[in-house]
Amino acid sequence: MSTEKERTRFHAPGSGPVVPPDPYATDSPSAPGHPPRAGSGSGSEAGAGAQAGTGTRVSVLLSHGSALGELVEAELDEPRDDEVVVRVEAVGVCHTDLLAQRRLGSRTAVLGHEGCGTVERLGPRAEGLAVGDRVVISFASCGKCVPCRSGFPGYCAHSGALNGSGRRRDGSPTLRVRGEPVFGSFFGQSSFATAVLAGARSCVPVDGLPPEVAAPLGCGFLTGAGAVLNVLRPRPFERLLVVGAGGVGAAAALTALSEGVEVVVAEPVEARRALLTEQGAAAVASLDEPIPPVTHALDTTGRPEAIARALSLLRPRGALALVGLGPAEVPVDVRSLTMRGLRLLGCVEGDAEPALLIPELVRRHRAGLLPLDRLVTTYALGDIERAVADQRAGLTLKAVLLPGA
């Protein structure tokens, strides 16, 4: 169980005041990053793979239309400035990948944004990492805008360009297939591949942790844990309702249990309920079942009826955090919200600073407080169709692909 000081540090701001004339100016000094380590910079490399022209030949899952991914050869661009090449050992499959694939339609793309692997090459200005480090690759952020410097990189002023444009922020591509640029740099990585380019700022060392357990810490597990530790912050004498026990919800439930919080999970899949009740949570198959009043709730589904029911179960001055993306509009009883003093909170990436929260989650896992390994099922990289089908059918809680399998 963490102290009050520990419970508030996973999105701690950088040192020094933040007073640029433009609240979202990007020309302010960079937020403090990882301290330099021996072996960083100067284009150091070790076995980065076969070279083709000016890039590195890699295998990628190329999605297009309704196809989740076809294994093809691609060329990965050379690392620039603070970029690194990471040899991917494991990558989680997240619902966001599937949403992006549908929205991209027939556009060819390499998705994947929960990568874990070993650093093989470093750009000339990459700091805080050394060749051979095992790292989790989280979402990209600029490190210079006010949200980044305040410790909330999930709200980076340049998040769209860095995570969802398919290219670097300057518009240059990172991946080519048969000589033609494809949509890449998804969440600053595109890790459905054997190797990726990523910003050093997005890479968090996790040496010694199995890559299949570490990979989802880059997004799904980070979001669930951060929603508990940074946004809702329930105390041991309080009760948390988690709606939906996929990767995000299960990680949130386990994190709350590690804090000594009473947890109730609403999840229709029996195997998921059984896993979490074994860890100490109470569980129901439906929100229509009797559920005691709760002080906090987390909705991972984005479904309007689930949100309304979760709000109705809150005690006065309770809080509901939303991490699921559903309909853009949800009816809310504002009178009830006001008279009961309820809080309705949005949450992106667990409001976390990955460089702070990921090491804490690793510490809890190693201490036996956060059995994240129980949530993971592994598949070969080329088996993404089966992995997604199993996840949708409830046979798998968190699917993780292994490029080397």
Side-chain angles (χ1 to χ4, degrees):
M1 189 184 308
S2 44
T3 65
E4 179 68 17
K5 180 178 179 181
E6 289 173 328
R7 293 172 71 235
T8 60
R9 70 185 181 88
F10 307 122
H11 59 156
S15 59
V18 182
V19 286
D22 177 351
Y24 285 88
T26 58
D27 56 353
S28 54
S30 176
H34 301 295
R37 289 179 50 194
S40 64
S42 303
S44 303
E45 59 182 288
Q51 298 291 313
T54 59
T56 299
R57 290 199 302 270
V58 297
S59 294
V60 301
L61 277 176
L62 191 67
S63 69
H64 49 88
S66 60
L68 289 172
E70 173 192 3
L71 272 176
V72 301
E73 292 299 305
E75 186 179 87
L76 186 68
D77 202 11
E78 290 291 285
R80 301 180 184 177
D81 294 331
D82 64 345
E83 293 177 337
V84 299
V85 174
V86 178
R87 180 63 55 184
V88 179
E89 298 174 284
V91 52
V93 178
C94 180
H95 186 60
T96 303
D97 296 308
L98 308 182
L99 289 176
Q101 185 249 344
R102 289 200 293 270
R103 289 172 181 169
L104 287 167
S106 61
R107 188 176 179 184
T108 53
V110 180
L111 302 174
H113 65 284
E114 292 183 342
C116 175
T118 303
V119 175
E120 291 196 331
R121 306 181 67 195
L122 301 109
R125 291 168 52 193
E127 296 184 342
L129 300 171
V131 169
D133 282 349
R134 175 172 289 163
V135 295
V136 166
I137 312 169
S138 196
F139 59 92
S141 58
C142 76
K144 297 180 181 180
C145 66
V146 168
C148 284
R149 295 184 67 215
S150 301
F152 296 95
Y155 305 95
C156 175
H158 302 286
S159 180
L162 290 168
N163 294 288
S165 70
R167 295 175 176 242
R168 293 184 177 94
R169 185 175 160 191
D170 66 6
S172 61
T174 57
L175 280 168
R176 291 176 173 83
V177 174
R178 293 181 286 275
E180 295 296 322
V182 298
F183 185 100
S185 201
F186 185 55
F187 276 66
Q189 52 188 285
S190 285
S191 47
F192 287 163
T194 54
V196 300
L197 271 179
R201 171 178 167 79
S202 302
C203 298
V204 182
V206 288
D207 289 339
L209 194 67
E212 66 273 16
V213 177
L217 292 172
C219 182
F221 291 174
L222 181 85
T223 297
V228 172
L229 296 174
N230 291 332
V231 180
L232 291 171
R233 300 175 65 234
R235 301 175 186 277
F237 54 85
E238 295 174 319
R239 182 183 295 128
L240 168 70
L241 169 67
V242 178
V243 184
V248 174
L254 292 180
T255 301
L257 290 169
S258 76
E259 290 279 289
V261 175
E262 184 180 343
V263 175
V264 179
V265 174
E267 166 57 51
V269 178
E270 183 179 0
R272 295 177 180 179
R273 295 198 306 272
L275 187 153
L276 292 171
T277 54
E278 181 183 327
Q279 300 302 318
V284 295
S286 166
L287 287 171
D288 295 330
E289 295 184 31
I291 298 174
V294 299
T295 54
H296 301 79
L298 173 67
D299 176 71
T300 70
T301 70
R303 292 162 51 194
E305 66 275 17
I307 293 169
R309 175 63 171 149
L311 280 171
S312 74
L313 289 168
L314 288 175
R315 292 184 182 276
R317 303 199 73 248
L320 167 63
L322 307 177
V323 297
L325 292 177
E329 297 182 4
V330 175
V332 173
D333 186 340
V334 176
R335 181 180 295 275
S336 175
L337 205 71
T338 301
M339 298 306 294
R340 295 166 60 212
L342 303 181
R343 291 173 293 145
L344 186 58
L345 305 165
C347 173
V348 174
E349 299 289 357
D351 278 15
E353 178 68 76
L356 294 177
L357 182 53
I358 290 174
E360 170 62 16
L361 299 181
V362 171
R363 183 193 69 77
R364 294 188 187 203
H365 175 71
R366 287 175 172 156
L369 301 173
L370 200 62
L372 297 173
D373 55 301
R374 298 290 307 278
L375 310 183
V376 170
T377 302
T378 59
Y379 300 80
L381 181 62
D383 283 345
I384 187 170
E385 299 273 1
R386 182 166 66 92
V388 170
D390 286 355
Q391 201 158 268
R392 285 173 171 162
L395 302 175
T396 292
L397 196 154
K398 181 64 179 182
V400 175
L401 307 179
L402 305 178

